[in-house]
Amino acid sequence: SQTIHQWPATLVQPVGSPLSLECTVEGTSNPNLYWYRQAAGRGLQLLFYSIGIDQISSEVPQNLSASRPQDRQFILSSKKLLLSDSGFYLCAWRGTRTDTQYFGPGTRLTVL
Amino acid sequence: QQPVQSPQAVILREGEDAVINCSSSKALYSVHWYRQKHGEAPVFLMILLKGGEQKGHEKISASFNEKKQQSSLYLTASQLSYSGTYFCGTAYSGANNLFFGTGTRLTVIP
């Protein structure tokens, strides 16, 4: 069966510091992968999606970037965090048979 | 392409019923329903693929009206464990993404 991991689970970072969040998927090959951000009490904002290695689409221009160095690894990065980057970051993978997305446990980021 | 969900929030007493609606301005390929508990990731509930299809999951069911381009989620005899925010995700032909509604916060009280 498929599982999706994210780490770290929580992170507190100062403004201007770099960021690296990691997402890995097990039990499937060549999945579509997604990064979402959710501000407190708000909906899901799609940040990036990837249909394959080194194939990244950006949905929202900002100071974040994404990379997919391996088939089942998706990384979200920033060189300098802003206060507005605080939120709950969710990675998701999409199955091959339907469009259903399955979410990882998330990373809660607080930028101070 | 973001679907519109209604209501934004609803409070129920245990045992009461609720309906959450998800409407699209564009022809839908499929609709996906999720529930998110506070502080946790969204959990997939069910997918509806065809117009007029209805599916069930415990006492939670959903319908998909292809003509009206909308889906409804029905929660019957609500339990405390149903509390959370419900999101619909809509898929369109040729798109790689789901478009999520803004969510409906459901609170069930004793």
Side-chain angles (χ1 to χ4, degrees):
Chain A
S1 64
Q2 300 86 2
T3 55
I4 179 168
H5 306 277
Q6 286 186 247
W7 61 89
T10 59
L11 194 59
V12 180
Q13 293 284 94
V15 169
S17 63
L19 173 73
S20 181
L21 303 181
E22 191 164 342
C23 169
T24 58
V25 181
E26 295 177 357
T28 186
S29 296
N30 197 30
N32 280 14
L33 296 173
Y34 305 84
W35 277 113
Y36 291 88
R37 178 170 61 200
Q38 189 176 35
R42 305 296 294 272
L44 300 164
Q45 180 188 28
L46 178 63
L47 301 175
F48 301 95
Y49 73 89
S50 171
I51 60 171
I53 294 174
D54 294 331
Q55 294 177 283
I56 313 287
S57 294
S58 172
E59 292 297 302
V60 183
Q62 55 203 324
N63 67 323
L64 298 172
S65 62
S67 62
R68 186 168 175 177
Q70 299 179 45
D71 180 42
R72 288 170 286 180
Q73 184 185 32
F74 204 21
I75 297 171
L76 183 70
S77 304
S78 174
K79 291 182 179 177
K80 285 188 178 182
L81 284 168
L82 307 171
L83 285 174
S84 57
D85 290 324
S86 293
F88 192 37
Y89 286 81
L90 291 155
C91 180
W93 70 276
R94 193 191 86 171
T96 53
R97 292 180 60 196
T98 71
D99 296 307
T100 301
Q101 293 182 19
Y102 301 91
F103 290 89
T107 295
R108 193 162 302 280
L109 172 68
T110 304
V111 183
L112 301 174
Chain B
Q1 290 178 318
Q2 182 182 34
V4 176
Q5 276 187 246
S6 63
Q8 287 188 313
V10 59
I11 299 175
L12 300 173
R13 293 201 177 273
E14 263 186 300
E16 290 182 338
D17 303 339
V19 180
I20 299 171
N21 297 306
C22 174
S23 297
S24 172
S25 58
K26 195 177 166 184
L28 290 166
Y29 181 74
S30 60
V31 180
H32 310 243
W33 285 98
Y34 295 79
R35 176 171 63 206
Q36 184 178 28
K37 299 271 188 181
H38 182 68
E40 299 178 7
V43 173
F44 171 67
L45 294 176
M46 66 187 77
I47 176 178
L48 296 109
L49 289 169
K50 300 177 183 177
E53 183 180 22
Q54 274 195 288
K55 292 196 108 175
H57 178 76
E58 298 175 345
K59 291 182 181 177
I60 300 174
S61 61
S63 64
F64 179 8
N65 188 319
E66 198 171 356
K67 260 188 175 179
K68 292 184 179 179
Q69 295 173 177
Q70 73 177 39
S71 177
S72 296
L73 187 71
Y74 307 94
L75 300 103
T76 57
S78 57
Q79 306 167 13
L80 294 175
S81 61
Y82 286 2
S83 292
T85 300
Y86 290 79
F87 291 97
C88 68
T90 51
Y92 304 98
S93 181
N96 283 311
N97 312 330
L98 289 181
F99 294 86
F100 287 94
T102 51
T104 297
R105 178 176 285 186
L106 181 82
T107 305
V108 182
I109 58 176

